[in-house]
Amino acid sequence: MTSPVRTELHDDVLVVISDNPPVNALGAAVRQGLKDGIKEGLANDGVKAIVIRCDGRTFHAGADITEFGKPPMGPSLPDVLDEMERAPKPTIAAIHGTALGGGLEVALACNYRIAVPSAKLGVPEVKLGLLPGAGGTQRLPRVVGVEQALEMTVFGNPISAKAAEASGLVDRLVEDDLAGAAIAFAREVAAKGDHPVSSARTDKLPDAAAIDGIFEAFTQKNGRKMRGFDAPAANMRCVRAAAEMPYEQGVKVEREEFMKLMTGDQSKAQRHLFFAERQAAKIDDVPKDTPLIDIKKVGIIGAGTMGGGIAMNFLSAGIPVTTLEMSDDALERGRGVVGRNYAGNVKGGRMTEAQAKGAMDIWTGTTDYADLADCDLIIEAVFESMDVKKDVFGKLDSHVKQGAILASNTSYLNIDEIAAATSRPDAVVGMHFFSPANIMKLLEVVRGAKTSDAVLATVMALSKKIGKVAVVAGVCDGFIGNRMLKPRQVEANKLIMEGAKPWDIDRVFVEFGFPMGPFQMSDLAGLDIGWHRDESRIETLRDELCAAGRWGQKTGKGFYDYDDSRRGSPSDEVEALIAKWAEKESRPQRHVPDEEIRERCLYTMVNEGALILEEGMAQRASDIDVVWIYGYGWPRYTGGPMMWADLTGLDVIVAGLEKHAAEMPEWPLSQMLKDKAAKGETFN
Ligand code: 3HC
Ligand code: NAI
């Protein structure tokens, strides 16, 4: 097999070039090639310096993640990098694209780093539940200082080449001809006697007396964001070791921590999500070369909660939007909300004033369907009523040009029935955004019975352009996400009638890793959503809560009582009302253990997920995981509901469901789940 690494001799400079598409991951063959390249450079007396660079779209974007969890293949990256760093001739990394993870570690093992201004540098291992395990946690703080190393390792976000130059991570920026500039730079430094060695540096490390303060301040500021995850704290411990120990000892700490993470469930789950997210974009039975529809102008029907947020996605990506509403007043209201959202983005430093203005400038409003005639994609976001939606789609059919995509943002309704209101059901698709639509990353793409391949492929490609993670769902009540929400909600509501307190249920969810539990969620969304608004008609606990003005956070009370800063505390009134309804419905009260809350609220979701798979409503289990991670705040470190079930053991899930079968006749066991559990199989 030919090596993905070749060398070029340019008089006194040896250039070691990797070419391992798509991202020059550091698989075994690349590691061997780098090792051999260095050896060749050292063996040739005529060589005065060695340049490391990559062909293709990027510098090394990290270790090869597909090798993780398999038996190690030599040489190891830490060993190759140690050899590289020990080389008595100067080494220079020439960076374009992304130098990430092991890739940045390669660069750190070199004496010098030069980069093009568009390059990005980072250590995203934490996002895979890991840490930079090839000396990165020890070399990085020595090169950029402890504070920046903490930011980079704990959050994993890459920095720009310019920022890297400012912090000393990059020695020089070069505008163009990186390959030529690297050779010239190599000659320049070869003339010097001393070369910086990352692992030997101490100039950026803090005084011993300052270390506690730095770490305390960092934890104080960021502790909440790390809740539940193992890897951020492990990264912190390693960076601390770099600050406190000699390099040789620090790398031992790093190795130990790395191995612990690598063999743990969290990293397994997060690595699963890395591939799951990429896999979700692929539709198995739609040919890769399906021609895409060019989307130059988007129409949106409705400027309410969803319509406004959906518009922002396209406006921010530079795609003009025309919004249709029922009245000028409604348009004005919608425009006001979006304008304020953009102003908030500017204030928060997320965009410039010019960008916000540019977005608002390409937005027009109308009340006339004729103005949508030339749109390439129209997304309907009107009230959740089949009659209203059919009326809208009928009008779209008679006004909008042929070839355009007609999409609905419905949360539950049947896309095929909506499509039947048009003469072109092949053009109709569901585009289910999540609230707030300008922020939430998930997009459920609902494939109708007649939706064409071109429409599907276009929507999937477009979603990437507007920063969404798209997952294909079939036509069923609530699609993937909301369908699975149902058993959880029903069981939570039943459990409070059996004696569990809403705050106990919420606590179990928060301890599991959700940002909030189902009742906190209801209070945030508003208990009055979908309420009949007749205070004299009290047929359920919710009717009673609403009639008592307990609409949730917006009225200062819902399931919880809220103070002025919207902090909720358990409510005696709610407890008394629940007791009253439980008595009315003859439900005896008992102590409900946390385990039962988990089993009835979470295991039923896994069961529903299995039914979704059984019915072909999702392409694969990992798609369901992606929906719940990006749409509903399921904790990433569990890998999503189906991966979590795999790691828990499907036999455990089935046993938990069977234990409560008598109380849960609504949720018949999925045959697929039962079979897999019996055979010891997993979903992923
Ligand atoms: N290993 C193996 N495959 C990888 C990979 C990696 N490190 N990075 C990307 N790929 C694959 C993807 O799975 C995808 O495959 P597919 O086409 O079959 O779906 C293909 O490369 C292209 O990737 P993207 O679709 O993500 O391409 P983008 O252009 O959108 O993004 C990127 C490029 C920014 C480099 C992005 O792929 C990325 O963030 N990669 C992961 C970077 C990372 O996490 N590096 C750290 C790895 S862990 C490590 O280095 C440990 C060390 O410390 C010891
Ligand atoms: P909303 O009530 O905030 O907005 C609906 C808007 O549509 C209103 O401004 C209304 O004036 C306008 N409208 C109604 N009928 C119209 C018509 N015939 N022509 C033109 N405009 C019309 O509702 P929201 O929350 O934005 O929901 C819209 C859709 O999005 C619904 O189908 C809903 O199920 C779905 N959805 C809602 C989510 C949410 O969290 N609010 C999440 C995901 C989907």
Side-chain angles (χ1 to χ4, degrees):
M1 211 175 78
T2 56
S3 168
V5 183
R6 68 179 194 281
T7 54
E8 276 176 10
L9 187 60
H10 292 259
D11 301 324
D12 52 351
V13 176
L14 184 78
V15 186
V16 182
I17 306 159
S18 295
D19 186 10
N20 185 31
V23 298
N24 278 308
L26 290 150
V30 175
R31 298 195 298 271
Q32 185 64 51
L34 287 175
K35 186 181 158 99
D36 294 344
I38 297 292
K39 202 168 155 195
E40 183 185 329
L42 296 184
N44 184 339
D45 286 344
V47 169
K48 299 287 179 254
I50 303 168
V51 169
I52 308 286
R53 71 166 182 84
C54 291
D55 272 349
R57 65 194 228 215
T58 177
F59 192 75
H60 306 288
D64 184 341
I65 308 169
T66 60
E67 284 182 355
F68 292 177
K70 296 182 187 153
M73 282 181 288
S76 80
L77 190 59
D79 288 349
V80 173
L81 299 192
D82 284 347
E83 272 179 47
M84 196 180 270
E85 198 184 49
R86 276 197 302 269
K89 296 180 183 177
T91 47
I92 300 96
I95 300 167
H96 74 293
T98 44
L100 297 178
L104 186 59
E105 291 176 299
V106 169
L108 282 164
C110 292
N111 300 108
Y112 302 95
R113 291 156 290 280
I114 69 168
V116 292
S118 58
K120 290 206 155 65
L121 299 87
V123 273
E125 282 89 340
V126 71
K127 297 185 181 182
L128 300 170
L130 293 171
L131 51 82
T137 65
Q138 304 305 299
R139 289 189 180 103
L140 187 63
R142 287 175 161 81
V143 174
V144 301
V146 163
E147 271 128 329
Q148 186 166 349
L150 276 175
E151 280 291 324
M152 289 178 73
T153 55
V154 170
F155 298 116
N157 298 322
I159 60 171
S160 67
K162 202 158 181 231
E165 189 195 26
S167 65
L169 183 55
V170 161
D171 297 289
R172 186 176 295 172
L173 290 183
V174 294
E175 286 303 326
D176 46 25
D177 185 23
L178 180 65
I183 293 168
F185 184 88
R187 290 201 178 111
E188 194 182 314
V189 294
K192 297 188 193 164
D194 263 356
H195 306 290
V197 174
S198 301
S199 69
R201 283 176 61 177
T202 53
D203 53 303
K204 291 274 182 89
L205 294 179
D207 291 338
I211 295 175
D212 278 344
I214 294 173
F215 280 82
E216 273 159 28
F218 187 82
T219 309
Q220 188 131 32
K221 185 167 163 219
N222 302 300
R224 242 175 67 84
K225 293 183 219 159
M226 305 184 230
R227 185 173 73 90
F229 288 88
D230 292 339
N235 272 282
M236 284 180 73
R237 286 193 291 275
C238 291
V239 174
R240 189 164 184 131
E244 290 179 336
M245 297 174 184
Y247 178 80
E248 292 68 29
Q249 256 172 285
V251 281
K252 280 194 191 130
V253 173
E254 178 189 281
R255 186 92 313 245
E256 215 171 281
E257 295 277 6
F258 182 80
M259 290 320 290
K260 243 191 277 171
L261 291 176
M262 180 63 102
T263 49
D265 279 352
Q266 288 204 355
S267 175
K268 214 179 281 170
Q270 287 175 258
R271 277 159 17 221
H272 156 72
L273 285 176
F274 177 84
F275 291 111
E277 186 181 326
R278 283 156 181 81
Q279 185 77 8
K282 294 167 189 150
I283 311 178
D284 292 338
D285 60 343
V286 171
K288 266 202 182 124
D289 55 356
T290 301
L292 301 183
I293 301 162
D294 195 11
I295 306 294
K296 290 201 283 286
K297 185 178 169 193
V298 172
I300 293 175
I301 322 277
T305 309
M306 294 306 288
I310 295 170
M312 287 179 76
N313 287 295
F314 295 99
L315 298 171
S316 302
I319 302 173
V321 172
T322 299
T323 293
L324 181 140
E325 257 289 354
M326 292 196 290
S327 67
D328 289 337
D329 278 356
L331 275 175
E332 223 22 69
R333 247 194 333 270
R335 210 177 158 80
V337 174
V338 171
R340 281 193 292 281
N341 275 341
Y342 273 127
N345 284 349
V346 172
K347 208 167 155 207
R350 290 180 293 277
M351 69 196 317
T352 64
E353 200 143 352
Q355 283 168 326
K357 183 174 179 306
M360 289 301 277
D361 282 351
I362 52 172
W363 191 21
T364 50
T366 185
T367 52
D368 183 355
Y369 274 84
D371 291 332
L372 300 180
D374 63 341
C375 287
D376 305 293
L377 161 70
I378 291 107
I379 303 171
E380 163 279 309
V382 302
F383 304 136
E384 184 77 342
S385 143
M386 183 54 93
D387 288 343
V388 179
K389 302 225 186 242
K390 277 184 173 169
D391 177 57
V392 167
F393 274 76
K395 287 187 180 130
L396 287 176
D397 193 28
S398 48
H399 286 90
V400 177
K401 70 178 179 189
Q402 289 296 322
I405 299 174
L406 310 181
S408 171
N409 180 50
T410 179
S411 309
Y412 291 92
L413 299 175
N414 186 318
I415 292 292
D416 293 332
E417 204 179 325
I418 295 173
T422 73
S423 63
R424 36 176 145 164
D426 55 321
V428 177
V429 67
M431 285 178 78
H432 182 210
F433 289 83
F434 287 70
S435 181
N438 53 318
I439 292 172
M440 296 296 285
K441 283 195 72 143
L442 179 65
L443 178 67
E444 270 183 333
V445 175
V446 188
R447 179 180 196 171
K450 298 192 175 151
T451 309
S452 76
D453 284 358
V455 165
L456 274 173
T458 302
V459 170
M460 297 307 277
L462 185 65
S463 65
K464 192 163 182 186
K465 197 163 166 190
I466 59 170
K468 300 289 174 203
V469 178
V471 173
V472 180
V475 177
C476 59
D477 190 39
F479 317 121
I480 296 173
N482 284 341
R483 177 170 165 178
M484 286 169 70
L485 194 59
K486 192 169 169 191
R488 158 183 142 165
Q489 204 60 40
V490 168
E491 288 308 309
N493 287 335
K494 277 161 63 185
L495 281 165
I496 59 171
M497 289 297 169
E498 293 173 32
K501 305 282 176 263
W503 25 98
D504 288 333
I505 295 183
D506 286 342
R507 177 183 45 76
V508 168
F509 273 79
V510 171
E511 280 170 8
F512 182 75
F514 278 98
M516 62 181 87
F519 297 101
Q520 290 162 321
M521 185 88 182
S522 300
D523 274 2
L524 181 66
L527 298 185
D528 60 313
I529 293 182
W531 176 48
H532 50 57
R533 282 173 201 267
D534 176 356
E535 286 176 17
S536 63
R537 209 175 105 206
I538 295 186
E539 288 155 2
T540 61
L541 169 65
R542 193 181 70 153
D543 289 347
E544 179 131 18
L545 291 170
C546 286
R550 304 197 72 103
W551 291 13
Q553 286 196 16
K554 58 183 152 191
T555 56
K557 51 187 188 171
F559 280 100
Y560 294 81
D561 292 331
Y562 291 91
D563 63 16
D564 291 343
S565 50
R566 295 206 164 189
R567 246 192 316 267
S569 54
S571 155
D572 291 341
E573 187 186 354
V574 170
E575 213 172 319
L577 285 177
I578 293 174
K580 183 178 119 185
W581 276 89
E583 201 180 318
K584 211 161 150 181
E585 294 176 6
S586 310
R587 310 258 201 123
Q589 300 287 286
R590 66 187 167 89
H591 167 72
V592 178
D594 288 359
E595 193 189 0
E596 180 173 347
I597 297 174
R598 264 192 304 273
E599 288 166 345
R600 286 177 56 184
C601 294
L602 298 179
Y603 289 13
T604 46
M605 291 179 62
V606 173
N607 187 57
E608 199 63 36
L611 289 170
I612 286 171
L613 281 175
E614 228 170 86
E615 294 167 22
M617 294 296 145
Q619 293 192 89
R620 38 187 103 82
S622 60
D623 284 6
I624 298 178
D625 290 332
V626 172
V627 165
W628 271 84
I629 294 290
Y630 286 110
Y632 300 84
W634 186 286
R636 279 192 81 84
Y637 51 79
T638 68
M642 307 314 273
M643 184 66 182
W644 171 69
D646 286 345
L647 293 170
T648 303
L650 299 188
D651 52 340
V652 175
I653 304 282
V654 168
L657 288 166
E658 283 174 339
K659 195 159 63 175
H660 306 292
E663 294 96 57
M664 309 193 299
E666 306 90 328
W667 322 117
L669 256 183
S670 141
Q671 192 59 44
M672 179 192 270
L673 175 59
K674 260 199 300 201
D675 291 349
K676 281 190 178 294
K679 287 190 223 150
E681 290 174 2
T682 53
F683 286 113
N684 285 294

Coordinates of all heavy atoms in Angstrom, one line a residue, residues 315-350:
L315 N -32.5 34.8 6.6 CA -32.0 36.2 6.5 C -30.5 36.2 6.9 O -29.7 36.9 6.3 CB -32.8 37.1 7.4 CG -34.3 37.3 7.0 CD1 -35.1 38.0 8.1 CD2 -34.5 37.9 5.7
S316 N -30.2 35.6 8.0 CA -28.8 35.6 8.5 C -27.9 34.9 7.5 O -26.7 35.2 7.5 CB -28.7 34.9 9.9 OG -29.6 35.5 10.8
A317 N -28.4 34.0 6.7 CA -27.6 33.3 5.7 C -27.6 34.0 4.4 O -27.0 33.6 3.4 CB -28.1 31.9 5.5
G318 N -28.2 35.2 4.4 CA -28.2 36.1 3.2 C -29.2 35.7 2.1 O -29.1 36.1 1.0
I319 N -30.2 34.9 2.5 CA -31.3 34.5 1.6 C -32.5 35.3 1.8 O -33.1 35.3 2.9 CB -31.6 33.0 1.7 CG1 -30.4 32.1 1.5 CG2 -32.7 32.6 0.7 CD1 -30.5 30.6 1.8
P320 N -33.0 36.1 0.8 CA -34.1 37.0 1.0 C -35.4 36.3 1.3 O -35.6 35.1 0.8 CB -34.3 37.7 -0.4 CG -33.0 37.5 -1.1 CD -32.4 36.2 -0.6
V321 N -36.2 36.9 2.2 CA -37.4 36.3 2.7 C -38.6 37.2 2.5 O -38.5 38.4 2.7 CB -37.3 35.9 4.2 CG1 -38.7 35.5 4.7 CG2 -36.3 34.9 4.4
T322 N -39.7 36.7 2.0 CA -41.0 37.4 2.0 C -42.0 36.7 2.9 O -42.2 35.5 2.7 CB -41.6 37.5 0.6 OG1 -40.6 38.2 -0.3 CG2 -42.9 38.3 0.6
T323 N -42.4 37.4 3.9 CA -43.4 36.8 4.9 C -44.8 37.3 4.6 O -45.0 38.5 4.4 CB -43.0 37.2 6.3 OG1 -41.7 36.6 6.6 CG2 -44.0 36.7 7.3
L324 N -45.7 36.3 4.5 CA -47.1 36.7 4.3 C -47.9 36.5 5.6 O -47.7 35.5 6.3 CB -47.7 35.7 3.2 CG -49.2 36.0 2.9 CD1 -49.4 35.8 1.4 CD2 -50.1 35.0 3.6
E325 N -48.7 37.5 6.0 CA -49.5 37.4 7.2 C -50.9 37.8 6.8 O -51.2 38.2 5.7 CB -49.0 38.4 8.2 CG -48.2 37.7 9.4 CD -49.1 36.9 10.3 OE1 -50.3 36.9 10.2 OE2 -48.5 36.2 11.2
M326 N -51.8 37.7 7.8 CA -53.2 38.0 7.6 C -53.5 39.5 7.6 O -54.4 40.0 7.0 CB -54.1 37.4 8.6 CG -54.1 35.9 8.5 SD -55.4 35.1 9.4 CE -54.9 35.3 11.1
S327 N -52.6 40.3 8.2 CA -52.8 41.7 8.3 C -51.5 42.5 8.4 O -50.5 41.9 8.8 CB -53.7 42.1 9.5 OG -52.9 41.8 10.7
D328 N -51.5 43.8 8.1 CA -50.3 44.6 8.2 C -49.9 44.6 9.7 O -48.7 44.7 10.0 CB -50.5 46.0 7.7 CG -50.6 46.0 6.2 OD1 -50.1 45.0 5.6 OD2 -51.2 46.9 5.6
D329 N -50.9 44.7 10.6 CA -50.6 44.7 12.0 C -49.7 43.5 12.4 O -48.8 43.6 13.2 CB -51.9 44.7 12.8 CG -52.4 46.1 12.9 OD1 -51.8 47.0 12.4 OD2 -53.5 46.3 13.5
A330 N -50.2 42.3 12.0 CA -49.5 41.1 12.4 C -48.1 41.1 11.8 O -47.1 40.7 12.5 CB -50.3 39.9 11.8
L331 N -47.9 41.6 10.6 CA -46.6 41.7 10.0 C -45.7 42.6 10.8 O -44.6 42.3 11.1 CB -46.7 42.3 8.6 CG -47.0 41.4 7.4 CD1 -47.2 42.1 6.1 CD2 -45.9 40.3 7.3
E332 N -46.3 43.8 11.2 CA -45.5 44.7 12.0 C -45.1 44.1 13.3 O -43.9 44.3 13.7 CB -46.4 46.0 12.2 CG -45.8 47.3 12.1 CD -44.5 47.3 11.2 OE1 -44.5 47.1 10.0 OE2 -43.4 47.5 11.8
R333 N -46.0 43.4 14.0 CA -45.7 42.8 15.2 C -44.5 41.8 15.1 O -43.5 41.8 15.8 CB -46.9 42.0 15.8 CG -47.5 42.6 17.0 CD -48.5 41.6 17.7 NE -49.2 40.7 16.9 CZ -50.3 40.9 16.3 NH1 -50.9 42.1 16.4 NH2 -50.9 39.9 15.6
G334 N -44.6 41.0 14.0 CA -43.6 40.0 13.7 C -42.2 40.7 13.5 O -41.2 40.2 13.9
R335 N -42.3 41.7 12.7 CA -41.1 42.5 12.4 C -40.4 43.0 13.6 O -39.2 43.0 13.8 CB -41.4 43.6 11.4 CG -40.3 43.9 10.4 CD -40.7 45.0 9.4 NE -39.5 45.6 9.0 CZ -38.7 45.0 8.0 NH1 -39.0 43.9 7.5 NH2 -37.6 45.6 7.7
G336 N -41.3 43.5 14.5 CA -40.7 44.1 15.8 C -40.0 43.0 16.6 O -38.9 43.3 17.1
V337 N -40.5 41.8 16.7 CA -39.9 40.8 17.5 C -38.5 40.4 16.8 O -37.5 40.3 17.5 CB -40.8 39.5 17.6 CG1 -40.1 38.4 18.2 CG2 -42.1 39.8 18.3
V338 N -38.5 40.2 15.5 CA -37.3 39.8 14.8 C -36.3 40.9 15.0 O -35.1 40.7 15.3 CB -37.6 39.5 13.4 CG1 -36.2 39.3 12.6 CG2 -38.4 38.2 13.3
G339 N -36.7 42.2 14.8 CA -35.8 43.3 14.9 C -35.2 43.3 16.3 O -33.9 43.5 16.5
R340 N -36.0 43.1 17.3 CA -35.4 43.1 18.7 C -34.5 41.9 18.9 O -33.4 42.0 19.6 CB -36.6 43.0 19.7 CG -37.2 44.3 20.0 CD -38.2 44.3 21.2 NE -39.3 43.5 21.0 CZ -40.4 43.8 20.3 NH1 -40.5 45.0 19.7 NH2 -41.5 43.0 20.2
N341 N -34.8 40.7 18.3 CA -33.8 39.6 18.4 C -32.5 39.9 17.8 O -31.4 39.6 18.3 CB -34.4 38.4 17.7 CG -35.4 37.6 18.6 OD1 -35.3 37.7 19.8 ND2 -36.2 36.8 18.0
Y342 N -32.5 40.6 16.6 CA -31.3 40.9 16.0 C -30.5 42.0 16.8 O -29.3 41.9 17.0 CB -31.5 41.5 14.5 CG -31.6 40.4 13.5 CD1 -32.6 40.3 12.6 CD2 -30.5 39.5 13.4 CE1 -32.7 39.3 11.7 CE2 -30.6 38.4 12.5 CZ -31.6 38.3 11.6 OH -31.7 37.3 10.7
A343 N -31.3 42.9 17.4 CA -30.6 43.9 18.2 C -29.9 43.2 19.4 O -28.8 43.6 19.8 CB -31.6 44.9 18.7
G344 N -30.6 42.2 20.0 CA -30.0 41.4 21.1 C -28.7 40.7 20.6 O -27.7 40.7 21.4
N345 N -28.7 40.2 19.4 CA -27.5 39.6 18.9 C -26.4 40.5 18.8 O -25.2 40.2 19.0 CB -27.8 39.0 17.5 CG -28.6 37.7 17.6 OD1 -28.8 37.2 18.7 ND2 -29.1 37.2 16.4
V346 N -26.7 41.8 18.3 CA -25.7 42.8 18.2 C -25.1 43.1 19.6 O -23.9 43.2 19.8 CB -26.2 44.0 17.5 CG1 -25.2 45.2 17.5 CG2 -26.6 43.7 16.0
K347 N -26.0 43.3 20.5 CA -25.6 43.7 21.9 C -24.8 42.6 22.5 O -23.8 42.9 23.2 CB -26.9 43.9 22.7 CG -26.7 44.9 23.8 CD -28.0 45.3 24.4 CE -27.7 45.8 25.9 NZ -28.9 45.6 26.7
G348 N -25.1 41.4 22.2 CA -24.4 40.2 22.8 C -23.1 39.9 22.0 O -22.4 38.9 22.3
G349 N -22.8 40.7 21.0 CA -21.6 40.5 20.2 C -21.6 39.3 19.3 O -20.6 38.8 18.8
R350 N -22.8 38.8 19.0 CA -22.9 37.6 18.1 C -23.0 38.0 16.7 O -22.8 37.2 15.8 CB -24.2 36.8 18.5 CG -24.0 36.0 19.8 CD -25.2 35.2 20.2 NE -26.4 36.0 20.5 CZ -26.7 36.6 21.6 NH1 -25.8 36.5 22.6 NH2 -27.7 37.3 21.8

